[in-house]
Amino acid sequence: MKNYHTHTSRCGHAFGRDRDYVKKAIKMGVTELGFSDHAPMLFPTEDYYSTFRMRPEKAEDYANSINLLRNEYKDKIKILLGFEIEYYPKLFQSTYDYLSQYNFDYLILGQHFTDNEYEPYAHYCAHPSDSTELFDKYINQALEGLKTGKFLYIAHPDLFNYTGPDEVYRKKMTYFCQQIKGLGYPVEFNLLGFVQKRSYPDRRFWEIVSEVGNDVVLGFDAHSPDAFENKRMYSEALKYLAELGITPIDELTIR
């Protein structure tokens, strides 16, 4: 069992010590644990900063902590250093260059906003919307990010909460899945959303994934060490996917 979607308290909405995540993961049988806390971003204005990501001044402590744990527990579990990051066109390259000093192992794409987040017209993708314009923007922006070749996979790809006609949803998400597959990326079935019964995972999306044949990974999206204690929900997620003819992959190539 492997997991590449793990947060820490530095993002402001996760809880627990880094060490406790490792201990719980080992106890559950996780053999490879990737930490991917919400990456700090270099916003161009001092008037705005996200409430859901670590600040730049915490990045060094984050990297040092994960690297220390990697060495300490190397005989029990493989630990990787990563970040979950959005693709914001105006910020991505400068932020990527900034993060590179920490020698991270991987990035996962978690596209929470359209546009550049700090802009007044940016849309939080989990908020309900029947706008096809915003839906297209989410899809195109995520694909633009994946085309950089900088990511391991796309997290919660069904995050956009489209409330318009079902046929529009299926048409656009079929295109999205086809493009993701063509780019060679897996899509993540998000266990946090599954456990908390959020608007994602959206069954329509996973029916499309089954039809298109995308590779699928399970992501705990752990926000506390206790996320690695819920074996029943992990089994339920596997069952949910199996009913759709989907078997998650367990081997990922770190780009």
Side-chain angles (χ1 to χ4, degrees):
M1 184 189 306
K2 300 177 182 180
N3 174 60
Y4 300 94
H5 197 165
T6 312
H7 294 281
T8 76
S9 60
R10 296 169 188 83
C11 68
H13 63 279
F15 308 92
R17 301 185 306 162
D18 301 345
R19 180 181 302 278
D20 291 334
Y21 283 87
V22 175
K23 288 181 175 180
K24 294 281 189 176
I26 292 171
K27 187 175 180 180
M28 186 172 184
V30 175
T31 59
E32 196 162 315
L33 179 65
F35 281 86
S36 53
D37 208 357
H38 292 284
M41 299 202 76
L42 305 182
F43 293 107
T45 170
E46 295 182 359
D47 296 334
Y48 179 85
Y49 201 82
S50 299
T51 59
F52 68 93
R53 70 177 73 253
M54 75 170 79
R55 289 183 172 270
E57 58 266 26
K58 294 186 177 182
E60 183 174 2
D61 175 69
Y62 170 64
N64 288 341
S65 175
I66 303 312
N67 285 325
L68 284 171
L69 291 169
R70 185 205 307 256
N71 292 327
E72 182 178 346
Y73 287 91
K74 62 183 178 181
D75 295 330
K76 296 182 179 180
I77 190 172
K78 183 176 181 180
I79 295 176
L80 299 171
L81 172 66
F83 291 97
E84 178 182 3
I85 186 171
E86 291 77 10
Y87 177 74
Y88 296 150
K90 293 181 180 179
L91 306 179
F92 182 74
Q93 190 59 53
S94 61
T95 301
Y96 181 85
D97 292 343
Y98 167 77
L99 295 175
S100 294
Q101 69 182 298
Y102 300 110
N103 296 315
F104 58 80
D105 296 301
Y106 68 94
L107 301 176
I108 58 176
L109 177 63
Q111 195 68 38
H112 295 89
F113 283 86
T114 61
D115 297 291
N116 294 286
E117 186 182 330
Y118 62 90
E119 296 164 327
Y121 44 83
H123 172 73
Y124 180 62
C125 296
H127 287 164
S129 174
D130 62 0
S131 169
T132 55
E133 180 181 359
L134 285 174
F135 198 7
D136 284 337
K137 186 174 283 189
Y138 165 74
I139 290 171
N140 292 331
Q141 192 166 331
L143 291 175
E144 185 178 336
L146 293 176
K147 288 175 182 177
T148 65
K150 303 296 188 184
F151 296 96
L152 180 62
Y153 69 71
I154 178 169
H156 40 64
D158 46 345
L159 177 68
F160 194 92
N161 190 5
Y162 180 69
T163 57
D166 184 69
E167 59 270 22
V168 172
Y169 182 91
R170 291 182 180 275
K171 179 179 179 179
K172 292 186 180 298
M173 283 306 206
T174 297
Y175 168 79
F176 192 31
C177 288
Q178 289 170 339
Q179 293 297 306
I180 294 171
K181 182 180 180 182
L183 291 168
Y185 289 99
V187 293
E188 179 201 75
F189 185 87
N190 190 274
L191 285 171
L192 179 64
F194 185 69
V195 169
Q196 296 186 351
K197 301 186 186 303
R198 298 183 176 183
S199 59
Y200 62 93
D202 187 312
R203 191 171 184 88
R204 297 171 299 173
F205 180 85
W206 295 98
E207 289 170 353
I208 293 167
V209 166
S210 179
E211 293 166 4
V212 172
N214 297 83
D215 284 339
V216 174
V217 296
L218 284 178
F220 279 83
D221 200 354
H223 282 72
S224 74
D226 292 345
F228 296 113
E229 290 187 326
N230 201 338
K231 293 184 178 181
R232 183 180 66 83
M233 292 306 296
Y234 183 83
S235 297
E236 286 294 317
L238 291 176
K239 180 181 177 182
Y240 178 99
L241 291 170
E243 290 172 352
L244 295 171
I246 298 172
T247 301
I249 62 173
D250 201 36
E251 293 294 331
L252 289 176
T253 300
I254 304 296
R255 299 183 179 223

